């Protein structure tokens, strides 16, 4: 399946057909202005306003499709990228689909430390990463590769412990398992093939990245507007960690101004309280669709 030369003209992007990553990836693509529909029924979808085709695949297959150049880009969990040991470039981390690959063992059992795993059997869908984790510690384990419902294998006496993806840990607890160590912290990644792209496609990838960065920055920011007495402008400017100077507009009420600016979301509540104490009122916060800096 290896393609040495870039033959197709459209930029091909792989996304998960149906699963935990699908909705957020589709939202992101729509959010950066890429228009398409019918992705639920088709394996390949042409976008309406760009020379981009989407390929809808099982997430496990995405790293290899991108590695082999069947797709130029892909959206897939770091867990799959590193498990498949794919020869691809990770372009961006996307802050969704967060989970971790963790080792868990029966809560009331005798396995607690890495050394306790010597000679034990571990069930997993991630044999490569699990084997690597233990062999780096010089511990010998037997692996049983299982594609689903890994968490019930200790009860069935198929394995002594498991290595599986966890987000809240609820499934582990429900199966009497205790999480012991993390092998990998994972999030969705945007990956690119290491095969050379045509100049036209590479240009499209660069444009795509500018939009993704703008979209991500917008998600982390809020637009705020407030009214304030003119004589509090200086103290308000000191509070606002603005990217650039805030916009200050005089109001009909002569001693008042409106101040507009963008702030990072993680500082929002602290900034709000400080602004209020400095004399600001009618503070309004709005989400931002996208921003190009
Ligand atoms: P497919 O049919 O595409 O192979 P799947 O059943 O393997 O789907 P999903 O359960 O949809 O996959 O998970 C897709 C990705 O979502 C995982 O590979 C991982 O990156 C991420 N993810 C986030 N949280 C979790 C979680 N708690 N359990 C499993 N995957 C998670
Ligand atoms: Zn899968």
């Amino acid at each position: 399946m290896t393609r040495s030369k870039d033959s197709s003209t459209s930029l091909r992007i792989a996304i998960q057909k149906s699963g935990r990553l699908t909705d957020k990836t589709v939202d992101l693509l729509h959010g950066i202005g890429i228009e398409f529909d019918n992705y639920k029924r088709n394996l390949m979808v042409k976008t309406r306003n760009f020379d981009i085709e989407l390929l809808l695949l099982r997430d496990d297959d995405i790293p290899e499709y991108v590695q082999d150049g069947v797709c130029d880009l892909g959206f897939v969990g770091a867990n799959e990228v590193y498990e498949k040991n794919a020869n691809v470039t990770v372009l961006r981390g996307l802050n969704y689909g967060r989970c971790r690959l963790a080792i868990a063992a029966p809560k009331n059992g005798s396995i607690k430390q890495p050394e306790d795993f010597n000679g034990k059997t571990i069930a997993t869908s991630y044999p490569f990463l699990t084997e690597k984790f233990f062999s780096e510690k010089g511990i010998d384990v037997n692996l049983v590769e299982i594609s689903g419902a890994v968490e019930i294998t200790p009860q069935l006496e198929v394995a002594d412990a498991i290595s599986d993806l966890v987000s809240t840990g609820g499934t582990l607890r429900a199966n009497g398992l205790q999480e012991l160590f993390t092998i990998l912290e994972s999030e969705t990644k945007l990956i690119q093939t290491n095969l050379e792209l045509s100049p036209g496609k590479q240009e499209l990838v660069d444009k795509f990245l500018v939009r993704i960065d703008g979209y991500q920055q917008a998600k982390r920011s809020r637009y705020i507007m407030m009214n304030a007495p003119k004589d509090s402008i200086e103290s308000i400017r000191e509070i606002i960690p603005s990217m650039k100077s805030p916009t200050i507009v005089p109001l009909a009420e002569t001693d008042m101004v409106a101040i507009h600016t963008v702030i990072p979301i993680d500082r929002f509540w602290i900034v709000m309280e400080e602004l209020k104490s400095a004399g600001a009122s009618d503070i309004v916060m709005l989400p931002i669709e996208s921003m190009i800096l």
Side-chain angles (χ1 to χ4, degrees):
M1 204 148 66
T2 305
R3 210 180 56 196
S4 56
K5 242 176 87 213
D6 191 14
S7 51
S8 68
T9 55
S10 303
L11 186 73
R12 260 198 210 149
I13 304 179
I15 71 172
Q16 190 186 21
K17 179 162 177 55
S18 166
R20 293 174 200 253
L21 308 182
T22 309
D23 288 351
K24 289 218 165 120
T25 305
V26 166
D27 286 352
L28 185 153
L29 291 169
H30 283 151
I32 63 171
I34 294 170
E35 293 169 12
F36 57 94
D37 35 39
N38 286 333
Y39 66 91
K40 293 205 167 118
R41 272 178 282 139
N42 297 306
L43 291 178
M44 194 188 282
V45 174
K46 284 197 177 300
T47 63
R48 286 198 291 272
N49 54 341
F50 278 96
D51 196 6
I52 291 178
E53 288 170 355
L54 302 178
L55 226 65
L56 292 117
L57 302 172
R58 287 200 60 198
D59 69 338
D60 316 48
D61 296 333
I62 293 175
E64 276 161 306
Y65 269 70
V66 174
Q67 169 181 282
D68 295 344
V70 179
C71 296
D72 306 301
L73 300 179
F75 288 87
V76 64
N79 52 301
E80 289 297 342
V81 178
Y82 298 125
E83 173 63 25
K84 298 294 182 317
N85 201 15
N87 181 12
V88 295
T89 298
V90 173
L91 296 176
R92 294 291 186 274
L94 297 167
N95 200 26
Y96 65 88
R98 282 196 180 279
C99 58
R100 56 197 180 276
L101 180 62
I103 306 278
K107 197 164 181 277
N108 303 318
S110 59
I111 303 177
K112 303 283 177 212
Q113 314 292 332
E115 306 80 65
D116 303 337
F117 280 85
N118 253 320
K120 295 288 193 279
T121 300
I122 303 178
T124 187
S125 311
Y126 294 87
F128 178 77
L129 291 172
T130 306
E131 162 67 26
K132 188 159 161 270
F133 176 82
F134 283 105
S135 66
E136 278 168 6
K137 296 185 179 330
I139 294 165
D140 261 338
V141 293
N142 306 311
L143 297 179
V144 180
E145 190 174 344
I146 294 206
S147 60
V150 172
E151 62 281 358
I152 61 161
T153 56
Q155 290 169 59
L156 301 176
E157 296 184 9
V158 171
D160 301 303
I162 66 164
S163 160
D164 202 10
L165 294 181
V166 184
S167 43
T168 60
T171 310
L172 293 184
R173 281 191 295 279
N175 285 283
L177 298 169
Q178 180 185 17
E179 194 174 336
L180 298 173
F181 343 97
T182 299
I183 296 182
L184 177 82
E185 293 283 354
S186 185
E187 64 173 347
T188 308
K189 302 284 187 189
L190 172 62
I191 57 173
Q192 179 174 345
T193 184
N194 283 337
L195 299 180
E196 196 179 339
L197 299 186
S198 67
K201 275 192 189 182
Q202 189 55 55
E203 209 173 290
L204 200 48
V205 170
D206 295 342
K207 243 190 203 170
F208 193 75
L209 286 179
V210 170
R211 291 191 181 203
I212 286 186
D213 292 343
Y215 179 84
Q216 299 230 93
Q217 174 90 31
K219 287 235 159 206
R220 291 191 296 266
S221 308
R222 290 290 180 273
Y223 192 83
I224 59 168
M225 305 184 283
M226 72 205 86
N227 294 336
K230 266 186 188 152
D231 58 14
S232 63
I233 292 177
E234 270 324 300
S235 47
I236 286 178
R237 286 189 66 157
E238 278 169 26
I239 297 164
I240 299 170
S242 179
M243 298 179 302
K244 297 208 175 98
S245 320
T247 306
I248 298 176
V249 191
L251 291 180
E253 236 179 290
T254 52
D255 58 341
M256 295 289 282
V257 289
I259 302 176
H260 294 199
T261 193
V262 173
I263 63 163
I265 193 169
D266 52 353
R267 295 223 40 211
F268 177 72
W269 290 107
I270 297 167
V271 168
M272 277 275 268
E273 286 156 12
E274 289 176 4
L275 289 173
K276 225 167 165 290
S277 317
S281 58
D282 308 314
I283 307 172
V284 174
M285 171 183 83
L286 299 170
I288 304 172
E289 283 274 327
S290 193
M291 55 205 278
I292 305 289
L293 299 178

